[in-house]
Amino acid sequence: MGKNKLRKFAEMEQFPRVLQVPFAKLKEEGFAMRGRWHDEFFGNRNPIVLELGCGRGEYTVGLAREFADRNFIGIDIKGARMWAGAKEAHLAGMENVGFLRTNIELLGEFFAPGEVAEIWITFPDPQMKKVRKRLTATNFLEMYRTILTPDGIVNLKTDSPFLYEYTSRLVDLNKLPIIKRTDDLYGNPEGVDRILNIRTHYEKQWLARGLNIKYLAFRLPAEVGLEEPDASDIEFDSYRSYGRNYNDNGTDSTAIS
């Protein structure tokens, strides 16, 4: 592991609003704050919103700045990426934002039933060949609603035509109540509210490539049975993600001019 990553991990240990729970400790002792986030972490009863796969934490921090009457938690297993948002929130003294380093599959170990009001999934890997790894697949949705309030909300923001079409079919098949759906979020800038206009590092890359950003928000009622849609005819995405050396304007920072 590089020195830069080690430095970031060490620095995050000093941030009081970043939680890093080793898997062995979680399995042996459980998570004492499960069901107590409102009282013991945030000190209020405001709704809790999760960003799954938060990466650098831009959306987590951006939402927290916009909505002081809600609590936000960014979740990711990549601590070196999370460090950026965690440090920004720490230096700004933001008390309605926190970060949790863990696998998304373990959400149920950290949150009690009904403890979360809303979930954001921002630019996840579409997992075109692995259904059960898609963050909007039925196995994940079943897990989400074990921690969501009744009729909790799931937001998907993605550059992937495949994942957007797949999730749209899933929502339609299961008749989940749709709040908003668009395959070109910024096609009508006047219709973009302050929540959706927060742009992550990777989103800026997609926009620089001329790709449309897609958005789907829906409710997840507790009593609805969930079925997987037929996705066999959905075309795979025809482009690949940028490497880590690409910057926000879509150019390679290591290229020689």
Side-chain angles (χ1 to χ4, degrees):
M1 185 180 295
K3 291 183 179 179
N4 193 40
K5 281 189 176 182
L6 291 174
R7 176 185 62 79
K8 289 178 178 179
F9 289 149
E11 190 171 0
M12 282 208 303
E13 290 288 346
Q14 307 305 312
F15 298 161
R17 305 194 76 76
V18 176
L19 301 178
Q20 303 182 81
V21 183
F23 180 75
K25 181 178 181 181
L26 178 67
K27 285 303 180 184
E28 182 178 341
E29 303 176 10
F31 184 63
M33 202 158 55
R34 181 177 183 268
R36 303 175 183 175
W37 283 90
H38 284 106
D39 297 327
E40 296 188 9
F41 191 82
F42 292 110
N44 60 56
R45 304 301 299 177
N46 294 339
I48 292 175
V49 181
L50 308 183
E51 184 192 3
L52 307 184
C54 68
R56 302 182 182 195
E58 297 107 317
Y59 233 86
T60 301
V61 174
L63 288 170
R65 289 187 187 280
E66 289 285 350
F67 300 95
D69 60 346
R70 301 181 196 177
N71 301 314
F72 298 89
I73 303 173
I75 298 174
D76 207 306
I77 193 61
K78 301 289 187 179
R81 295 179 185 173
M82 182 186 293
W83 167 86
K87 185 168 185 176
E88 180 181 350
H90 175 69
L91 292 177
M94 300 175 70
E95 297 188 353
N96 69 324
V97 60
F99 287 89
L100 173 63
R101 187 182 175 205
T102 189
N103 286 305
I104 293 171
E105 290 85 351
L106 297 176
L107 286 180
E109 303 287 337
F110 291 94
F111 299 94
E115 195 167 20
V116 175
E118 192 168 350
I119 287 174
W120 279 84
I121 307 170
T122 51
F123 303 96
D125 185 332
Q127 295 289 351
M128 291 177 283
K129 296 182 179 180
K130 300 176 181 178
V131 177
R132 291 187 62 81
K133 289 194 174 185
R134 293 174 200 153
L135 293 187
T136 55
T138 54
N139 55 300
F140 277 101
L141 295 183
E142 291 283 11
M143 178 182 63
Y144 300 156
R145 66 181 179 184
T146 65
I147 64 174
L148 281 168
T149 56
D151 260 6
I153 298 172
V154 176
N155 302 271
L156 170 67
K157 200 176 182 188
T158 180
D159 61 288
S160 168
F162 176 90
L163 185 61
Y164 175 77
E165 176 62 22
Y166 163 80
T167 307
S168 290
R169 291 189 186 187
L170 186 151
V171 167
D172 290 340
L173 174 64
N174 293 286
K175 297 180 171 58
L176 302 178
I178 297 173
I179 299 171
K180 185 177 179 69
R181 173 161 56 183
T182 176
D183 63 358
D184 187 5
L185 181 60
Y186 300 116
N188 177 19
E190 293 182 359
V192 180
D193 59 33
R194 56 182 177 157
I195 300 177
L196 296 174
N197 204 35
I198 300 170
R199 303 187 185 189
T200 70
H201 170 79
Y202 294 105
E203 183 172 5
K204 292 173 185 176
Q205 294 179 352
W206 310 137
L207 290 170
R209 298 170 81 172
L211 299 175
N212 290 346
I213 302 302
K214 299 122 177 68
Y215 174 69
L216 176 59
F218 56 94
R219 295 190 183 277
L220 195 55
E223 69 279 2
V224 176
L226 298 175
E227 298 179 38
E228 280 290 334
D230 179 7
S232 60
D233 63 329
I234 303 178
E235 291 186 11
F236 281 10
D237 297 336
S238 60
Y239 63 92
R240 298 177 64 86
S241 299
Y242 281 130
R244 65 180 60 188
N245 293 323
Y246 276 80
N247 56 32
D248 287 348
N249 63 13
T251 59
D252 189 340
S253 61
T254 64
I256 300 175
S257 58

